[in-house]
Amino acid sequence: MKAYSVYNHMLLPGSFRGLENDYWHLRSSVQIWDVSCQRQIEISGVEADQLAQLLTVRDIRNVAVGRCVYAPVVDFDGGLINDPVVIHAGPDRWWFSLADSDLGLWAEGLARGYGMEVRVAELDVWPLAIQGPKSEDVMSLVFGEAVRSIRFFQFERLEFEGRSMIVARSGWSAQGGFEVYVDDADVGVALYDALMEAGGAFDIGPGGPNLIERIEAGLLSYGGDMTRDNNPLECGLDQYCSLSSDMEAIGLSALRAHSERPLARRIRGLTIEGPPLEPLVARWPLRGDQGPIGAVTSAAWSPRLKKNIALAMVDTGAPDLVEVETPSGSRSAEVGAPRFP
Amino acid sequence: MKAYSVYNHMLLPGSFRGLENDYWHLRSSVQIWDVSCQRQIEISGVEADQLAQLLTVRDIRNVAVGRCVYAPVVDFDGGLINDPVVIHAGPDRWWFSLADSDLGLWAEGLARGYGMEVRVAELDVWPLAIQGPKSEDVMSLVFGEAVRSIRFFQFERLEFEGRSMIVARSGWSAQGGFEVYVDDADVGVALYDALMEAGGAFDIGPGGPNLIERIEAGLLSYGGDMTRDNNPLECGLDQYCSLSSDMEAIGLSALRAHSERPLARRIRGLTIEGPPLEPLVARWPLRGDQGPIGAVTSAAWSPRLKKNIALAMVDTGAPDLVEVETPSGSRSAEVGAPRFP
């Protein structure tokens, strides 16, 4: 491992061959990611459905057991607290697969304050992601052909060494793949080894979420591209906000109010001119003719597009050509959609 | 900077001269620590006193404005959620200076659920710590002689460049010092420079919380030595838990119940034989004659004591001599008090 980050108080392995080599490898073969840091907050009990719905502005009342949905969690003002994948794990049982914030404290504080009959717990579950175009071939060798019929954002309980685990078709890349919700550390190690062995013919290797790949795909990172200072509409997550539904959800009325006014800013994509830039450590300011108009939140050199690509929070009404103030100087950039196919 | 860690979603500068050189420097002169990651959660409003008290099992009803107290925050079962310093910043105004967890989500979830008339906010405040035996001399050159009369865990509002800031005698070392609650980024940079200049004659330099120094002092790290799986009694924090008080506080009744049974385990100090050990990445298991009896949570070589010293969560009734299973082999260790004077 060459680089890691800290995520939900745990280590997240980030790079193994260097950023660009990891990128090409992820696009062409298959990687195993230790994403144990995607902590699972389980909400269970007779009022679990009510609390789960209260926590997200996406209408999840018709999400069947066995399905997963990307579901923004916001505060009472509509500010993003987390953007988990929510898994309907069983009757009266929901798992929130977390981005980087202690959502369990929010959920339990609310549940206790409202006096709801639920249990909120962080599970001993350590997700393992198998990502890349060859992931289905490798997974079928380990879990059987049943994996091929799992549809996107659905899960089956499949067995490995006699242990039944949730296997979902999901993951934080656009290359396709699965996430296995490992709930036994010993089985996890054996599974890792089995996947490595089965994947030998497919050039399998370790990996992690890849900055270049996820910017190209427009996958936003909570804590980086979007924070509690942003509402999901600014982040282009409109389709995951059920503004016209009649369920009870925290922040829904605030979001409705936001939606009735013009947005002040919105996540956009930038193509920044010139040779590869240095890694972005802190946000780079953006300037238009009239002054500050936002900031770059993520940036990388795409070796495929041979361009600096970036995500940025940009004021509405900003021009199509802006200036980026990087630590190494000013660069022109073109504003467009927040994805780079 | 040679090493940093991630704390409350921010970077915490850790080492500048290497661990041992930083240790000697901290003990002999004075350091400036950028501890911006000690986030401040402010609770304000007409029910602020009630919510602040509800959040901690320490009786803070008689804590006057201008005072700070170390105050454990636990869940309804008594499990530690955070161990902040709580600052009575003004009438109906409390600041919780955080260890590494999103306590604001807990506080706001509870406040909203209970329908309390309070405002919970993470402040734009970035604490700067000045630590070490020469810290008073340096601080008095920048803030005036008034700093000398600030007593331990009390604060005054003092001016720098016309801006009034909270200056407390506190900090996460046993060497003495101050924390300045900087609430303006530009003033912060100017203050950093002014302290560096004033400290020139005292060999001032940058620094950060030091692993060796804080183990010697028995300062426990939340997330490392103690987690939500521990109650404060196990962590030797009895004196900060007001078990016989009549205030209303979350987890107080659970802690009372814990206190009526013998503790299952307790934080202890270990002296581990042999030459310097490798850095502890994951907890090292402890074994007695009868099997597993706990785990080492922090360890370092003390260049002053010329010993491996450690903190460990040890089962009650463990023998005084135990075996530590390090990645490089087994070592004998002596169990004693969790501090190394």
Side-chain angles (χ1 to χ4, degrees), chain B residues 3 45 82 125 151 198 235 287 327:
Chain B
N82 206 292
V125 166
R151 295 169 64 185
C235 305
R287 293 198 151 267

Side-chain angles (χ1 to χ4, degrees), chain B residues 136-156:
Chain B
E136 189 175 292
D137 291 331
V138 173
M139 283 289 285
S140 67
L141 290 173
V142 173
F143 284 98
E145 292 297 310
V147 298
R148 298 197 190 270
S149 55
I150 301 175
R151 295 169 64 185
F152 185 63
F153 265 46
Q154 300 202 5
F155 74 79
E156 297 287 342

Side-chain angles (χ1 to χ4, degrees), chain A:
Chain A
M1 187 174 69
K2 291 192 174 170
Y4 64 87
S5 58
V6 175
Y7 201 89
N8 280 329
H9 315 287
M10 295 176 71
L11 296 180
L12 167 60
S15 177
F16 289 84
R17 304 156 201 82
L19 186 60
E20 290 196 10
N21 290 333
D22 282 339
Y23 165 82
W24 290 116
H25 180 256
L26 173 60
R27 285 178 62 94
S28 61
S29 62
V30 51
Q31 295 182 349
I32 307 187
W33 299 359
D34 175 355
V35 285
S36 299
C37 65
Q38 276 176 218
R39 304 311 297 153
Q40 304 303 306
I41 297 297
E42 181 181 76
I43 295 172
S44 58
V46 296
E47 289 189 283
D49 290 356
Q50 287 91 320
L51 179 58
Q53 180 59 82
L54 202 58
L55 290 174
T56 174
V57 287
R58 180 164 184 171
D59 190 341
I60 58 171
R61 292 173 298 179
N62 293 320
V63 173
V65 171
R67 295 209 52 187
C68 321
V69 289
Y70 178 74
V73 174
V74 304
D75 62 25
F76 284 80
D77 299 319
L80 270 166
I81 287 179
N82 206 291
D83 68 327
V85 170
V86 175
I87 299 157
H88 201 171
D92 297 325
R93 189 173 302 275
W94 297 82
W95 290 6
F96 283 60
S97 188
L98 296 193
D100 186 27
S101 75
D102 297 335
L103 188 72
L105 294 178
W106 176 246
E108 189 165 348
L110 287 162
R112 291 288 189 156
Y114 286 129
M116 296 177 84
E117 232 179 287
V118 293
R119 182 172 168 272
V120 178
E122 182 176 324
L123 300 179
D124 284 335
V125 166
W126 306 272
L128 200 59
I130 297 84
Q131 300 286 299
K134 305 291 171 54
S135 53
E136 190 175 291
D137 292 331
V138 174
M139 284 288 285
S140 68
L141 290 173
V142 173
F143 284 98
E145 291 298 310
V147 297
R148 297 197 191 272
S149 55
I150 301 175
R151 294 169 65 185
F152 186 62
F153 265 46
Q154 300 203 4
F155 74 79
E156 297 287 342
R157 288 185 190 271
L158 298 178
E159 277 201 8
F160 174 77
E161 293 198 346
R163 189 162 190 102
S164 164
M165 289 176 284
I166 287 180
V167 178
R169 194 182 286 265
S170 56
W172 210 59
S173 83
Q175 306 307 316
F178 298 86
E179 288 176 298
V180 184
Y181 289 81
V182 178
D183 60 358
D184 180 297
D186 292 333
V187 168
V189 172
L191 174 61
Y192 193 100
D193 291 343
L195 287 164
M196 277 293 185
E197 198 179 319
F202 301 94
D203 186 29
I204 199 170
N210 184 274
L211 180 69
I212 305 167
E213 198 271 347
R214 69 104 181 156
I215 293 177
E216 287 185 353
L219 290 170
L220 305 186
S221 176
Y222 182 71
D225 302 304
M226 50 190 183
T227 73
R228 195 160 169 187
D229 291 332
N230 301 115
N231 68 56
L233 310 179
E234 292 173 348
C235 305
L237 306 179
D238 318 46
Q239 61 179 304
Y240 310 111
C241 301
S242 308
L243 296 187
S244 55
S245 286
D246 65 347
M247 82 285 191
E248 203 180 336
I250 291 167
L252 188 60
S253 58
L255 281 194
R256 284 193 189 118
H258 283 302
S259 74
E260 283 159 13
R261 293 189 297 267
L263 286 177
R265 50 193 181 173
R266 203 176 170 93
I267 201 84
R268 304 299 301 276
L270 292 192
T271 309
I272 307 174
E273 66 158 24
L277 282 157
E278 65 267 40
L280 181 149
V281 177
R283 291 181 167 196
W284 297 334
L286 289 181
R287 293 199 152 264
D289 306 333
Q290 316 291 319
I293 49 151
V296 175
T297 56
S298 299
W301 173 259
S302 165
R304 180 175 62 87
L305 302 171
K306 298 193 169 44
K307 282 177 183 167
N308 292 296
I309 57 175
L311 299 170
M313 194 58 79
V314 183
D315 292 358
T316 315
D320 290 342
L321 282 172
V322 298
E323 289 289 310
V324 181
E325 294 175 0
T326 79
S328 59
S330 187
R331 297 259 189 120
S332 294
E334 200 173 332
V335 182
R339 60 195 64 83
F340 304 87

